[in-house]
Amino acid sequence: GAVVSQHPSWVICKSGTSVKIECRSLDFQATTMFWYRQFPKQSLMLMATSNEGSKATYEQGVEKDKFLINHASLTLSTLTVTSAHPEDSSFYICSARDDSAYEQYFGPGTRLTVT
Amino acid sequence: SQQGEEDPQALSIQEGENATMNCSYKTSINNLQWYRQNSGRGLVHLILIRSNEREKHSGRLRVTLDTSKKSSSLLITASRAADTASYFCATMRVEGAQKLVFGQGTRLTINP
């Protein structure tokens, strides 16, 4: 089956630093990937849609300068949380849409803790 | 933005009983999907039902879709302790960008 990986699975960083999270589709090509954020005991909130070779589309209320997205290849999208603050601590989940099947597959998530 | 509203927000039942969770949405959809998430873990895709389908089964799962009421239900029969998790519905809208939007979720606890 289609697999999406995320790296790292968890990360702890200090306030003010930047953290990069990778999302890879392992056995399919994905022109479109999605980034979600999930706070404890809450649902997934879509942050942005990442498109290979073009700018990401951000949901209302999501700061594009704070959450930098780069989709440089058909199998890799990265989310960089810049100048992280404790309120950015959350579970970040990516999803990749298979170009050939149009199915969407989710990664295992990355837990970010900002101290 | 969240499209789906789920109820109940939390459900606690005894092992062996059936669990029913409901999801309502606001706009026209291409399909509706149900996911399970164990605490602190990733999502597990359970079932997808298309807008032209009314009912779908997968093992102990039964999903219904009523597009006239813009609602769906997930039934888990003969529940097991391992079914304890959060369950989310997610809708793929007809118009606009093709993206999955999640409901608030139901936290299901199965008591042994």
Side-chain angles (χ1 to χ4, degrees), chain A residues 38 43, chain B residues 6 33-35 37 86-89 102-105:
Chain A
Q38 184 181 33
S43 186
Chain B
E6 293 180 65
Q33 303 178 41
W34 285 91
Y35 289 83
Q37 184 182 37
S86 289
Y87 291 81
F88 297 94
C89 68
F102 283 79
Q104 300 296 329

Side-chain angles (χ1 to χ4, degrees), chain A residues 6-13 19-21 35-42 81 88-94 108-114, chain B residues 37-42:
Chain A
Q6 280 185 242
H7 178 79
S9 55
W10 60 271
V11 57
I12 301 173
C13 71
V19 174
K20 180 185 286 187
I21 303 170
W35 287 97
Y36 293 82
R37 179 169 57 185
Q38 184 181 33
F39 292 110
K41 298 188 177 181
Q42 294 189 25
V81 183
D88 298 324
S89 298
S90 187
F91 195 49
Y92 292 87
I93 302 174
C94 76
T110 296
R111 185 160 304 283
L112 169 64
T113 303
V114 184
Chain B
Q37 184 182 37
N38 290 84
S39 181
R41 306 291 293 273

Side-chain angles (χ1 to χ4, degrees), chain B residues 31-110:
Chain B
N31 64 66
L32 184 146
Q33 303 178 41
W34 285 91
Y35 289 83
R36 184 184 73 219
Q37 184 182 37
N38 290 84
S39 181
R41 306 291 293 273
L43 294 174
V44 174
H45 183 262
L46 296 177
I47 201 164
L48 179 153
I49 186 165
R50 302 188 193 284
S51 60
N52 61 351
E53 297 176 310
R54 291 296 167 260
E55 189 171 310
K56 215 165 179 182
H57 296 254
S58 177
R60 292 184 295 114
L61 305 180
R62 187 183 83 129
V63 168
T64 63
L65 178 64
D66 187 335
T67 52
S68 67
K69 295 181 180 178
K70 290 187 170 57
S71 68
S72 174
S73 68
L74 170 67
L75 168 68
I76 303 174
T77 60
S79 63
R80 305 168 182 169
D83 294 330
T84 295
S86 289
Y87 291 81
F88 297 94
C89 68
T91 52
M92 180 74 74
R93 300 178 185 180
V94 169
E95 297 180 356
Q98 295 291 291
K99 52 190 179 184
L100 276 177
V101 179
F102 283 79
Q104 300 296 329
T106 295
R107 286 195 300 280
L108 175 64
T109 303
I110 308 299

